[in-house]
Amino acid sequence: MSGAQQARDRYDEALRLALDEAERTSGSGDVPVGAVVLDPAGTVIGAGHNEREATGDPTAHAEVLALREAAAHAGAWRLTGCTLAVTLEPCTMCAGAIVLARVDRLVYGARDPKAGAVGSLWDVVRDRRLNHRPEVIPPDLVGPDVAARCGAVITEFFALRRLR
């Protein structure tokens, strides 16, 4: 197996874990987004799912919650060497948090054309004016089945909301 295929398999597995986390929003009214932070060895050290509706906290996005848990686990705010995998392209707040946490790699499963800040509307994480720029693994560099599932979870959620 090639190095590129091994990397893709690792990214796909991380996104599957993030999808499992997204399922935890069921019934809360929160948009089903999940995130996991992996340490350099590939061990999950942080996980989160959207909890804005459940907690009334506007910052309770999956990425922020996963980064907080990872920092607590690491005992430091710098998450150098870590990978954040998230089911949906981060918004500006989350993209800023990723930069500030010094995450080395961002993997995301679905683009967000309405609020995405990793290339769709803005590109916060690759802005050359900032002091840190993580490697970005977009949906077209992960397995098509995993990327499709990440997108489908969001599409299904909003389709059901429109029916209500």
Side-chain angles (χ1 to χ4, degrees):
M1 184 181 308
S2 73
Q5 184 60 47
Q6 288 176 336
R8 177 181 258 178
D9 289 348
R10 283 194 311 272
Y11 304 149
D12 288 358
E13 179 56 29
L15 284 173
R16 284 186 191 95
L17 294 171
L19 280 163
D20 290 345
E21 192 64 30
E23 287 179 16
R24 297 185 65 199
T25 64
S26 181
S28 70
D30 279 293
V31 177
V33 176
V36 295
V37 177
L38 305 149
D39 70 9
T43 303
V44 175
I45 60 169
H49 55 277
N50 278 356
E51 294 183 15
R52 289 188 316 167
E53 299 298 328
T55 64
D57 178 354
T59 68
H61 288 208
E63 301 94 323
V64 170
L65 298 174
L67 291 170
R68 286 178 186 161
E69 187 174 288
H73 181 274
W77 62 267
R78 287 181 185 89
L79 297 174
T80 306
C82 293
T83 298
L84 173 69
V86 60
T87 57
L88 183 66
E89 180 181 0
C91 69
T92 53
M93 176 183 70
C94 294
I98 291 162
V99 170
L100 293 173
R102 309 297 196 272
V103 170
D104 277 7
R105 184 175 303 101
L106 167 65
V107 179
Y108 68 99
R111 297 188 192 284
D112 185 350
K114 293 183 179 180
V118 186
S120 289
L121 286 182
W122 300 279
D123 202 347
V124 172
V125 299
R126 290 179 282 213
D127 190 317
R128 298 179 80 56
R129 296 169 293 182
L130 299 176
N131 65 341
H132 178 75
R133 289 178 296 282
E135 175 186 8
V136 175
I137 310 300
D140 51 318
L141 295 180
V142 300
D145 58 324
V146 176
R149 184 66 195 135
C150 288
V153 166
I154 299 296
T155 302
E156 291 164 10
F157 173 80
F158 284 109
L160 286 172
R161 284 188 76 169
R162 282 191 290 278
L163 292 174
R164 292 182 186 155

